[in-house]
Amino acid sequence: MVERRRRTLGEQLGGEPPEGVRALPEPDQQALADLIGDARRAQGAALAKAGEDGLKYVPALLRGAVRKAVGL
C-alpha cells in the first residue's frame, strides 16, 4: 500500500482555517484535516462510480466516445 503524505488543514481548505479552528490543538487540527481528506476521497470514488453506473444507459457502441467526452 502506498503511504500518502498527510496534508495540513490549511492545504485541505486551500487557505487559512477560520480563527475558531486555528484555536484547536495541532493534533485535533490534523485529525480534522485527515477526516476532510477521507471524505474527499470517498466523494471522488462515489462520483466515479455514479459516472460509470450512468453509462449503463448509453448504448454499448457509444460508451467509449461518451466516456472520453465526459472525462471518465
Side-chain angles (χ1 to χ4, degrees), residues 12-34:
Q12 288 287 1
L13 298 176
E16 272 300 304
E19 183 180 334
V21 176
R22 286 193 312 262
L24 293 172
E26 182 59 36
D28 292 342
Q29 287 186 36
Q30 187 59 55
L32 181 57
D34 293 343

Side-chain angles (χ1 to χ4, degrees), residues 1-67:
M1 186 170 152
V2 176
E3 183 67 29
R4 293 183 223 256
R5 183 182 76 81
R6 293 173 75 186
R7 295 175 67 188
T8 66
L9 188 55
E11 290 171 331
Q12 288 287 1
L13 298 176
E16 272 300 304
E19 183 180 334
V21 176
R22 286 193 312 262
L24 293 172
E26 182 59 36
D28 292 342
Q29 287 186 36
Q30 187 59 55
L32 181 57
D34 293 343
L35 289 170
I36 291 170
D38 292 345
R40 286 186 173 163
R41 282 187 289 281
Q43 181 184 36
L47 286 171
K49 182 178 181 330
E52 287 297 323
D53 289 348
L55 286 174
K56 292 176 185 174
Y57 299 100
V58 175
L61 292 173
L62 296 175
R63 288 181 191 159
V66 171
R67 267 193 189 96

